[in-house]
Amino acid sequence: MAYILHIETATKNCSVALAKEGQLIAVKEIAETGYTHAEKLHVFIEEVLQEAKITFKDLNAVAVSQGPGSYTGLRIGVSAAKGLCYALSVPLIAIDTLEALARKISVSEGIIIPMIDARRMECYTAVFDSQYNKFKPVEAQVIDGNSFADFNQTIHFAGDGAEKCKAVLNSAQFIYHDDVVYPSASEMCSVAYDKYKKSDTVDVAYFEPFYLKEFMLNTK
């Protein structure tokens, strides 16, 4: 019986999910304009455990969204996940944030491009097929009228970065899933369980979030 706790804090959504054998059994999340992850994360962790009527000692692993995304958000999530793994002596599983976002939509054809806002006209993106297999790696891409011109199939956009595309990518080829804004810990469950069964874990001591870009401090 494997209980895995999932933490997703890479965007404005502070999300915690608990799964048993890869099946979601409890989730707590909130997306706010001001990042409140530091205040909400540990409360949500305790709440999902209480809802499932288990304790920290029942956890078999902790999964964390590895990025890309908010520098501060990722630091908070990864720090919490590492602390739990150290205290409980359980493995740490890292999940691609963009894959978690892509899994929020289900399509039968075409490709899925999850997009996380990276300021101005830039987005963190990757490209997945309808089975969530990634065939173009994560990158920071500046969006213009020629973006994704090398694809001729239907493109499904999801995420808070997709809004930037509407003005320049507006043909029938592009479908916008406006109801999918942020990744959620709920979509990490099956991926994390598959990794857990294969012992596909990361080193708790040395694991760092995948920032993709260096942290930039706005001093103005």
Side-chain angles (χ1 to χ4, degrees), residues 65-68 94-116 124-139 141 148 150-159 173 175 177 180 183 187-188 191 195 210:
S65 180
Q66 69 178 14
I95 304 296
D96 181 344
T97 302
L98 287 166
E99 180 177 351
L101 179 55
R103 286 177 175 272
K104 293 200 74 172
I105 65 175
S106 177
V107 300
S108 58
E109 60 182 9
I111 60 176
I112 301 170
I113 301 183
M115 312 186 81
I116 295 175
Y124 299 129
T125 72
V127 182
F128 297 82
D129 64 20
S130 59
Q131 301 302 309
Y132 311 113
N133 298 302
K134 181 165 57 178
F135 62 90
K136 188 172 182 182
V138 177
E139 64 178 335
Q141 182 166 346
F148 316 114
D150 48 340
F151 298 109
N152 55 21
Q153 60 265 69
T154 299
I155 295 177
H156 297 268
F157 288 125
Q173 178 188 10
I175 297 177
H177 295 259
V180 178
E187 276 66 48
M188 295 167 59
V191 181
K195 285 176 171 278
F210 177 44

